PDB file of all heavy atoms in Angstrom:
ATOM      1  N   ILE A 317      25.799  -9.710  91.551  1.00 90.00           N
ATOM      2  CA  ILE A 317      25.961 -10.587  90.256  1.00 90.00           C
ATOM      3  C   ILE A 317      25.834 -12.039  90.583  1.00 90.00           C
ATOM      4  O   ILE A 317      25.197 -12.763  89.766  1.00 90.00           O
ATOM      5  CB  ILE A 317      27.400 -10.332  89.649  1.00 90.00           C
ATOM      6  CG1 ILE A 317      27.461  -8.834  89.106  1.00 90.00           C
ATOM      7  CG2 ILE A 317      27.712 -11.254  88.573  1.00 90.00           C
ATOM      8  CD1 ILE A 317      28.786  -8.449  88.649  1.00 90.00           C
ATOM      9  N   LEU A 318      26.456 -12.617  91.698  1.00 89.00           N
ATOM     10  CA  LEU A 318      26.272 -13.891  92.058  1.00 89.00           C
ATOM     11  C   LEU A 318      24.788 -14.271  92.307  1.00 89.00           C
ATOM     12  O   LEU A 318      24.296 -15.428  91.869  1.00 89.00           O
ATOM     13  CB  LEU A 318      27.117 -14.263  93.167  1.00 89.00           C
ATOM     14  CG  LEU A 318      28.658 -14.264  92.977  1.00 89.00           C
ATOM     15  CD1 LEU A 318      29.317 -14.551  94.286  1.00 89.00           C
ATOM     16  CD2 LEU A 318      28.941 -15.348  92.000  1.00 89.00           C
ATOM     17  N   LEU A 319      24.126 -13.307  92.908  1.00 87.00           N
ATOM     18  CA  LEU A 319      22.634 -13.489  93.244  1.00 87.00           C
ATOM     19  C   LEU A 319      21.900 -13.590  91.895  1.00 87.00           C
ATOM     20  O   LEU A 319      20.901 -14.366  91.777  1.00 87.00           O
ATOM     21  CB  LEU A 319      22.079 -12.508  94.106  1.00 87.00           C
ATOM     22  CG  LEU A 319      20.814 -12.594  94.681  1.00 87.00           C
ATOM     23  CD1 LEU A 319      20.677 -13.893  95.541  1.00 87.00           C
ATOM     24  CD2 LEU A 319      20.301 -11.358  95.549  1.00 87.00           C
ATOM     25  N   GLN A 320      22.252 -12.770  90.901  1.00 87.00           N
ATOM     26  CA  GLN A 320      21.601 -12.708  89.674  1.00 87.00           C
ATOM     27  C   GLN A 320      21.767 -13.982  88.785  1.00 87.00           C
ATOM     28  O   GLN A 320      20.796 -14.268  88.165  1.00 87.00           O
ATOM     29  CB  GLN A 320      22.068 -11.455  88.950  1.00 87.00           C
ATOM     30  CG  GLN A 320      21.328 -11.069  87.669  1.00 87.00           C
ATOM     31  CD  GLN A 320      19.870 -10.620  87.951  1.00 87.00           C
ATOM     32  OE1 GLN A 320      19.627 -10.060  88.988  1.00 87.00           O
ATOM     33  NE2 GLN A 320      18.991 -10.748  87.071  1.00 87.00           N
ATOM     34  N   VAL A 321      22.907 -14.579  88.861  1.00 87.00           N
ATOM     35  CA  VAL A 321      23.138 -15.718  88.060  1.00 87.00           C
ATOM     36  C   VAL A 321      22.898 -17.092  88.825  1.00 87.00           C
ATOM     37  O   VAL A 321      23.222 -18.088  88.320  1.00 87.00           O
ATOM     38  CB  VAL A 321      24.635 -15.783  87.569  1.00 87.00           C
ATOM     39  CG1 VAL A 321      24.828 -14.462  86.697  1.00 87.00           C
ATOM     40  CG2 VAL A 321      25.605 -15.805  88.622  1.00 87.00           C
ATOM     41  N   GLN A 322      22.373 -16.831  89.917  1.00 86.00           N
ATOM     42  CA  GLN A 322      21.952 -18.158  90.640  1.00 86.00           C
ATOM     43  C   GLN A 322      20.920 -18.989  89.963  1.00 86.00           C
ATOM     44  O   GLN A 322      19.967 -18.422  89.402  1.00 86.00           O
ATOM     45  CB  GLN A 322      21.541 -17.761  92.091  1.00 86.00           C
ATOM     46  CG  GLN A 322      21.346 -18.929  93.007  1.00 86.00           C
ATOM     47  CD  GLN A 322      21.124 -18.588  94.433  1.00 86.00           C
ATOM     48  OE1 GLN A 322      21.072 -17.319  94.777  1.00 86.00           O
ATOM     49  NE2 GLN A 322      20.825 -19.498  95.328  1.00 86.00           N
ATOM     50  N   ARG A 323      21.157 -20.227  89.893  1.00 86.00           N
ATOM     51  CA  ARG A 323      20.369 -21.144  88.990  1.00 86.00           C
ATOM     52  C   ARG A 323      19.385 -21.915  89.794  1.00 86.00           C
ATOM     53  O   ARG A 323      19.661 -22.335  90.955  1.00 86.00           O
ATOM     54  CB  ARG A 323      21.285 -22.041  88.089  1.00 86.00           C
ATOM     55  CG  ARG A 323      22.325 -21.301  87.440  1.00 86.00           C
ATOM     56  CD  ARG A 323      23.263 -22.104  86.667  1.00 86.00           C
ATOM     57  NE  ARG A 323      22.615 -23.060  85.696  1.00 86.00           N
ATOM     58  CZ  ARG A 323      23.262 -23.724  84.797  1.00 86.00           C
ATOM     59  NH1 ARG A 323      24.567 -23.456  84.556  1.00 86.00           N
ATOM     60  NH2 ARG A 323      22.650 -24.408  83.945  1.00 86.00           N
ATOM     61  N   ARG A 324      18.261 -22.051  89.169  1.00 84.00           N
ATOM     62  CA  ARG A 324      17.209 -22.976  89.761  1.00 84.00           C
ATOM     63  C   ARG A 324      17.163 -24.348  89.186  1.00 84.00           C
ATOM     64  O   ARG A 324      16.292 -25.202  89.576  1.00 84.00           O
ATOM     65  CB  ARG A 324      15.897 -22.244  89.669  1.00 84.00           C
ATOM     66  CG  ARG A 324      15.739 -21.054  90.601  1.00 84.00           C
ATOM     67  CD  ARG A 324      14.384 -20.357  90.405  1.00 84.00           C
ATOM     68  NE  ARG A 324      14.370 -19.622  89.173  1.00 84.00           N
ATOM     69  CZ  ARG A 324      13.451 -18.823  88.731  1.00 84.00           C
ATOM     70  NH1 ARG A 324      12.352 -18.677  89.500  1.00 84.00           N
ATOM     71  NH2 ARG A 324      13.563 -18.132  87.596  1.00 84.00           N
ATOM     72  N   ASP A 325      17.843 -24.518  88.018  1.00 83.00           N
ATOM     73  CA  ASP A 325      17.885 -25.845  87.448  1.00 83.00           C
ATOM     74  C   ASP A 325      18.970 -26.783  87.961  1.00 83.00           C
ATOM     75  O   ASP A 325      19.171 -27.917  87.544  1.00 83.00           O
ATOM     76  CB  ASP A 325      18.018 -25.699  85.934  1.00 83.00           C
ATOM     77  CG  ASP A 325      19.351 -25.020  85.577  1.00 83.00           C
ATOM     78  OD1 ASP A 325      19.984 -24.317  86.349  1.00 83.00           O
ATOM     79  OD2 ASP A 325      19.851 -25.332  84.409  1.00 83.00           O
ATOM     80  N   ARG A 326      19.640 -26.344  88.961  1.00 84.00           N
ATOM     81  CA  ARG A 326      20.700 -27.025  89.598  1.00 84.00           C
ATOM     82  C   ARG A 326      20.588 -26.978  91.046  1.00 84.00           C
ATOM     83  O   ARG A 326      20.012 -26.038  91.590  1.00 84.00           O
ATOM     84  CB  ARG A 326      22.077 -26.511  89.132  1.00 84.00           C
ATOM     85  CG  ARG A 326      22.590 -26.953  87.802  1.00 84.00           C
ATOM     86  CD  ARG A 326      24.003 -26.501  87.596  1.00 84.00           C
ATOM     87  NE  ARG A 326      24.656 -26.947  86.382  1.00 84.00           N
ATOM     88  CZ  ARG A 326      25.882 -26.725  85.942  1.00 84.00           C
ATOM     89  NH1 ARG A 326      26.690 -26.078  86.930  1.00 84.00           N
ATOM     90  NH2 ARG A 326      26.289 -27.225  84.924  1.00 84.00           N
ATOM     91  N   PRO A 327      21.226 -27.828  91.826  1.00 85.00           N
ATOM     92  CA  PRO A 327      21.244 -27.687  93.325  1.00 85.00           C
ATOM     93  C   PRO A 327      22.217 -26.539  93.650  1.00 85.00           C
ATOM     94  O   PRO A 327      22.869 -26.054  92.768  1.00 85.00           O
ATOM     95  CB  PRO A 327      22.034 -29.092  93.803  1.00 85.00           C
ATOM     96  CG  PRO A 327      21.827 -30.040  92.617  1.00 85.00           C
ATOM     97  CD  PRO A 327      21.733 -29.169  91.350  1.00 85.00           C
ATOM     98  N   THR A 328      22.052 -25.939  94.876  1.00 84.00           N
ATOM     99  CA  THR A 328      22.755 -24.853  95.259  1.00 84.00           C
ATOM    100  C   THR A 328      24.314 -25.074  95.124  1.00 84.00           C
ATOM    101  O   THR A 328      24.752 -26.116  95.657  1.00 84.00           O
ATOM    102  CB  THR A 328      22.347 -24.433  96.721  1.00 84.00           C
ATOM    103  OG1 THR A 328      20.975 -24.311  96.722  1.00 84.00           O
ATOM    104  CG2 THR A 328      23.133 -23.219  97.163  1.00 84.00           C
TER     105      THR A 328
END
Side-chain angles (χ1 to χ4, degrees):
I317 291 173
L318 290 176
L319 189 63
Q320 189 70 24
V321 300
Q322 191 171 353
R323 304 175 62 161
R324 286 176 289 184
D325 62 332
R326 282 185 173 188
T328 303

